[in-house]
Amino acid sequence: MIDRLLKRPLEVVETNFRRPTGRAGTLVGHLMARQHRTLTVWAAEHMDVRRSQRVLDIGCGSGMAVELLSRRASSGFVAGVDYSPEMVRQSVRRNVDGIARGRVEIKEGDAGNLPYPDSSFDQVSAIETFYFWPDPMRGLAEAYRVLRPGGQVAITLEMSREAAEQPSPIQRYFGRRFTERSEREGLRILSGADLVEMLTKAGFEDGRFVSEPRRSLGWVCALARK
Ligand SMILES: C[S@@+](CC[C@H](N)C(=O)[O-])C[C@H]1O[C@@H](n2cnc3c(N)ncnc32)[C@H](O)[C@@H]1O
């Protein structure tokens, strides 16, 4: 019974996590901003963003990471790219002050074809978006292209093979359902080692990952340098 009641709302949420569209997308954008706050803070802690650096957040959603990273790169520049016009609008609203000061820019664009020249960033992040990219290796090649030599990439996911072997009851019920549904819909659930392997294949060096298996569905952040 509860399964049937949850089916339709879950489908709407899942579709809009992938590509927020229309009113439901706008609502899911606000929801994501709340849900991903602690994940975003955790991901940013692992990136050594300095004051004057240039940072790009791919799949920026409602612009929370852009806002946070622009406080860290306080005399630098932070860009956000997302292929959803709704998310671009939300991100612009959230970062209106940074944009007015010329320190933030939000663009509509695809992870597979980033609207920036070669070697234009010191840091590239992608939070809770990587598994939606239709060609993830193409996205990593683009991240590599726009990073300057020595620059750092950080790919963060809240659902991974790093999930706790002994999950909480909530993780067990919702987590397993969500993970299984996601896989049925073609999402590949990755481990930290998978992410590092993909980063290495894309040409990155010094790949490593950190994880928090008991958070959500297995937080993981994979980092590497160009
Ligand atoms: C689950 S949301 C996460 C948003 C944000 N990073 C956060 O943590 O709140 C996934 C975002 O990735 C964006 N996205 C998915 N695939 C993309 C692609 N190929 N290019 C650009 N953006 C993409 C979606 O539009 C959506 O805003």
Side-chain angles (χ1 to χ4, degrees):
M1 170 69 172
I2 187 159
D3 277 14
R4 257 184 295 132
L5 280 176
L6 280 173
K7 192 166 179 258
R8 178 70 189 135
L10 266 181
E11 269 170 19
V12 172
V13 170
E14 282 165 9
T15 309
N16 279 282
F17 262 58
R18 187 181 289 262
R19 186 172 201 144
T21 309
R23 275 204 215 141
T26 305
L27 194 69
V28 166
H30 290 302
L31 223 148
M32 280 190 306
R34 276 178 164 271
Q35 195 206 336
H36 296 163
R37 177 161 287 282
T38 48
L39 177 75
T40 304
V41 169
W42 179 76
E45 272 168 17
H46 296 290
M47 299 169 63
D48 54 348
V49 175
R50 319 256 170 82
R51 273 179 57 159
S52 61
Q53 285 193 325
R54 292 176 59 87
V55 185
L56 170 66
D57 185 45
I58 308 174
C60 65
S62 62
M64 198 176 33
V66 171
E67 185 185 27
L68 187 78
L69 293 167
S70 64
R71 275 190 234 129
R72 300 262 302 271
S74 53
S75 57
F77 173 78
V78 181
V81 168
D82 201 291
Y83 68 1
S84 155
E86 274 79 12
M87 289 304 95
V88 168
R89 275 194 288 277
Q90 257 183 42
S91 209
V92 165
R93 269 203 299 276
R94 185 182 297 276
N95 289 285
V96 76
D97 292 344
I99 292 169
R101 284 185 289 118
R103 298 239 175 265
V104 170
E105 179 173 71
I106 309 292
K107 282 191 183 178
E108 193 177 323
D110 196 290
N113 186 19
L114 294 171
Y116 288 99
D118 297 358
S119 303
S120 45
F121 292 99
D122 302 289
Q123 306 271 345
V124 170
S125 65
I127 301 171
E128 193 50 9
T129 180
F130 184 65
Y131 27 47
F132 301 126
W133 301 354
D135 184 349
M137 288 310 293
R138 163 106 196 130
L140 291 185
E142 277 294 274
Y144 189 91
R145 181 184 66 74
V146 301
L147 269 174
R148 63 149 173 89
Q152 188 182 51
V153 64
I155 307 286
T156 304
L157 299 173
E158 71 166 353
M159 172 169 59
S160 78
R161 296 258 172 250
E162 304 302 327
E165 277 176 18
Q166 292 184 329
S168 65
I170 289 190
Q171 278 181 320
R172 228 183 348 257
Y173 184 72
F174 288 104
R176 193 169 302 147
R177 281 176 58 88
F178 203 83
T179 308
E180 283 169 4
R181 275 181 63 90
S182 303
E183 282 194 306
R184 273 202 304 279
E185 305 215 335
L187 239 67
R188 197 173 146 219
I189 312 298
L190 299 159
S191 66
D194 292 332
L195 285 169
V196 169
E197 193 184 323
M198 292 170 90
L199 286 166
T200 307
K201 253 192 211 151
F204 288 99
E205 293 176 358
D206 302 331
R208 64 188 175 89
F209 73 90
V210 285
S211 65
E212 283 282 353
R214 292 195 69 82
R215 303 299 299 261
S216 189
L217 306 178
W219 286 3
V220 65
C221 174
L223 300 131
R225 290 203 177 269
K226 176 169 174 178

